[in-house]
Amino acid sequence: MGGYNEVKFSKALMGRLSYGEDMLEELTDICRRERIALAQIKAIGAVKRAKLGYYNQAERVYNLFDINKPLEITNLSGNISLKDGVPMIHAHLTLADREGRAFGGHLAPGTIVFACEFIISILDGQTFDREFDEQTGLPLWGEEYWNAYI
Ligand code: ZN
């Protein structure tokens, strides 16, 4: 069942990632070091190569694919919540090549940073711990966390 909570913007962390590092790993390390349980994340920049996921709804698995060339990060957009009590980033990435053609998908390990500027907006409110959702096969936010239902 869908639902939502009221949250408040608290503070933000603004910075850049290291050249040659794995984007998801480095962002996750920051979240764990700072003990971020609830946040919004946005970033722009460029990658040396990318690994993205497409959730195959029929087979209930992520199909991962590689794009082995330098690309612009035209948008990284996502959220941070808990899974098994530790911060987990769920982010989607839109990338563009030299002709401006876009690729997109679920950010997976294996996306390597060329340059990346990020803002993590930390939120105050009810935290969520992801749990297996029977309908989708995905780790989603459970309905016991909602204050209001859709
Ligand atoms: Zn996703």
Side-chain angles (χ1 to χ4, degrees):
M1 183 188 277
Y4 56 92
N5 293 338
E6 185 178 306
V7 297
K8 286 189 164 56
F9 283 98
S10 162
K11 60 180 179 178
L13 305 178
M14 187 167 175
R16 78 174 172 92
L17 299 180
S18 311
Y19 177 91
E21 291 296 315
D22 186 292
M23 183 182 294
L24 184 57
E25 268 181 30
E26 195 167 32
L27 287 169
T28 302
D29 285 347
I30 294 166
C31 293
R32 292 184 178 172
R33 185 188 317 137
E34 299 292 334
R35 300 183 184 281
I36 295 169
L38 198 65
Q40 177 188 45
I41 182 166
K42 298 193 74 68
I44 55 171
V47 299
K48 292 161 74 72
R49 60 179 189 275
K51 188 182 283 284
L52 300 177
Y54 169 85
Y55 190 65
N56 185 319
Q57 296 175 16
E59 296 178 14
R60 294 159 74 101
V61 292
Y62 276 100
N63 299 144
L64 296 175
F65 57 97
D66 294 289
I67 310 172
N68 286 313
K69 59 181 178 182
L71 297 158
E72 292 289 313
I73 304 167
T74 54
N75 188 48
L76 177 148
S77 189
N79 57 59
I80 297 154
S81 61
L82 300 175
K83 181 158 183 279
D84 303 320
V86 293
M88 188 198 126
I89 296 173
H90 180 202
H92 287 191
L93 200 53
T94 305
L95 302 162
D97 70 10
R98 61 188 299 163
E99 276 84 38
R101 290 177 302 202
F103 304 88
H106 178 100
L107 175 62
T111 297
I112 306 302
V113 172
F114 180 78
C116 181
E117 299 170 349
F118 67 86
I119 301 177
I120 298 171
S121 299
I122 299 168
L123 302 167
D124 280 336
Q126 169 70 55
T127 58
F128 305 97
D129 203 308
R130 291 181 179 274
E131 54 203 58
F132 181 77
D133 177 70
E134 295 284 349
Q135 254 177 347
T136 61
L138 291 165
L140 299 180
W141 299 326
E143 60 188 76
E144 68 271 27
Y145 297 110
W146 305 135
N147 293 320
Y149 294 90
I150 299 167

